[in-house]
């Protein structure tokens, strides 16, 4: 921006956002709001009052630098157009950049296997959210993908561990298993004879051999316990 542009904006703010009623009726000194509003119109027409780029350091720099002036990496400048027009142009360029990778990646992805986890009713409106907390981990040493997730409803005290070899032609033993927490923490000093049940709030791999879980006591009472536990994958 030039100093003249900054002065225009400063005068506009002074006139419209300052408690000085004596300035409201003054004519001639302040520019019309259209100089600002024209940039925000969602139309392709040229600006009513295009900016004066004379003396702009960035434009002078580009004019005097041949390899930058012709560079396809610089987004073209449209001094006669509004910001909405420029935004649409930029979105079009970005979409074009992303289309080729999307096509290539899409064609290279295929289904390795299919596993049925649960069945729901035909009505989408009444389908509950049963699949929760998916967390992915890739063990590069063993070339194995892991997915941690929980199933709501009847198995809130379980966490499921799914593992697959990165080479889809190979399989691993115990492709999916469940760890049930139940009342395994019932040895605390304040524990009564009633068994406690814990559900999993969150779970992540800590490293290739350890899973960190945040557990919540499931009993309906005040002061529910929260437990941070680390489980060896073995």
């Amino acid at each position: 921006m030039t100093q003249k542009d900054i002065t225009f904006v400063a005068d506009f703010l002074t006139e419209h956002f300052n408690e000085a009623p004596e300035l409201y009726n003054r004519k001639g000194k302040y520019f019309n709001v259209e100089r600002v509003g024209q940039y925000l119109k969602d139309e392709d027409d040229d600006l009513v009052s295009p900016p004066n780029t004379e003396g702009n350091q960035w434009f002078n720099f580009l004019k005097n630098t041949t390899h930058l002036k012709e560079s396809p990496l610089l987004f073209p400048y449209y001094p006669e157009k509004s910001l909405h027009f420029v935004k649409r142009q930029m979105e079009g360029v970005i979409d074009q950049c992303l289309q080729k990778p999307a096509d290539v990646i899409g064609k290279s992805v295929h289904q390795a296997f299919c596993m049925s986890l649960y069945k729901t009713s035909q009505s989408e409106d009444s389908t509950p959210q049963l699949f929760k907390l998916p967390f992915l981990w890739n063990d590069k040493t063993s070339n194995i993908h892991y997915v941690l997730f929980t199933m709501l409803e009847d198995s809130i005290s379980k966490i499921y561990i799914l593992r697959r070899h990165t080479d889809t032609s190979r399989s691993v033993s115990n492709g999916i298993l469940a760890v049930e927490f139940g009342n395994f923490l019932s040895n605390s000093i304040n524990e009564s004879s009633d068994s406690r049940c814990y559900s999993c709030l969150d779970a992540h791999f800590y490293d290739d051999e350890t899973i960190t879980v945040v557990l919540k006591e499931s009993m309906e009472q005040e002061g529910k316990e929260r437990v941070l536990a680390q489980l060896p994958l073995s």
Side-chain angles (χ1 to χ4, degrees):
M1 295 177 65
T2 64
Q3 188 58 43
K4 188 177 180 182
D5 295 327
I6 296 173
T7 304
F8 273 135
V9 175
D11 287 346
F12 174 76
L13 295 176
T14 302
E15 178 181 7
H16 291 279
F17 295 95
N18 191 29
E19 291 297 331
E22 68 276 7
L23 297 179
Y24 293 165
N25 296 324
R26 187 182 299 180
K27 303 293 181 185
K29 181 179 177 182
Y30 300 100
F31 69 98
N32 192 292
V33 69
E34 191 61 25
R35 285 188 67 93
V36 175
Q38 63 178 348
Y39 290 99
L40 307 177
K41 290 182 178 178
D42 191 4
E43 55 189 33
D44 293 341
D45 295 340
D46 291 349
L47 297 176
V48 178
S49 304
N52 179 13
T53 59
E54 186 179 349
N56 186 294
Q57 295 178 357
W58 172 248
F59 294 125
N60 291 341
F61 173 67
L62 289 184
K63 286 178 184 176
N64 299 326
T65 313
T66 311
H67 64 280
L68 276 182
K69 187 167 59 175
E70 306 298 331
S71 172
L73 300 178
L74 288 179
F75 193 79
Y77 176 59
Y78 302 94
E80 308 288 331
K81 298 296 183 181
S82 72
L83 293 178
H84 279 283
F85 176 86
V86 176
K87 174 176 175 285
R88 283 197 299 273
Q89 293 291 317
M90 184 174 288
E91 286 174 342
V93 172
I94 293 174
D95 288 343
Q96 187 178 2
C97 290
L98 296 178
Q99 188 58 49
K100 185 68 175 178
D103 291 341
V104 173
I105 294 172
K107 290 173 182 175
S108 66
V109 172
H110 63 277
Q111 178 178 300
F113 77 110
C114 179
M115 178 181 293
S116 177
L117 295 177
Y118 58 85
K119 292 182 179 179
T120 60
S121 62
Q122 296 297 323
S123 169
E124 293 184 1
D125 298 335
S126 61
T127 301
Q129 180 195 1
L130 297 179
F131 188 74
K132 186 185 176 188
L133 201 75
F135 177 77
L136 308 179
W137 179 266
N138 182 18
D139 183 348
K140 294 182 175 62
T141 307
S142 306
N143 295 324
I144 293 178
H145 281 308
Y146 289 92
V147 184
L148 294 179
F149 62 93
T150 56
M151 303 285 286
L152 304 182
E153 304 296 327
D154 297 331
S155 53
I156 57 172
S157 63
K158 295 178 183 177
I159 181 172
Y160 293 84
I161 305 173
L162 170 67
R163 65 177 184 171
R164 296 286 299 177
H165 204 282
T166 52
D167 181 354
T168 55
S169 63
R170 300 177 58 184
S171 62
V172 291
S173 59
N174 296 328
I176 185 170
L177 57 84
V179 179
E180 183 166 12
F181 300 104
N183 59 350
F184 77 112
L185 296 173
S186 58
N187 293 326
S188 110
I189 343 179
N190 304 320
E191 189 59 58
S192 63
S193 55
D194 298 333
S195 63
R196 292 186 174 187
C197 185
Y198 289 85
S199 58
C200 184
L201 284 178
D202 200 0
H204 285 248
F205 267 82
Y206 181 76
D207 55 29
D208 287 343
E209 301 173 351
T210 312
I211 297 173
T212 301
V213 293
V214 180
L215 304 175
K216 177 185 73 170
E217 188 179 355
S218 302
M219 294 177 64
E220 294 294 332
Q221 63 181 25
E222 290 296 325
K224 294 180 181 178
E225 285 189 358
R226 299 291 190 274
V227 178
L228 180 68
Q230 288 198 302
L231 307 177
L233 194 60
S234 58

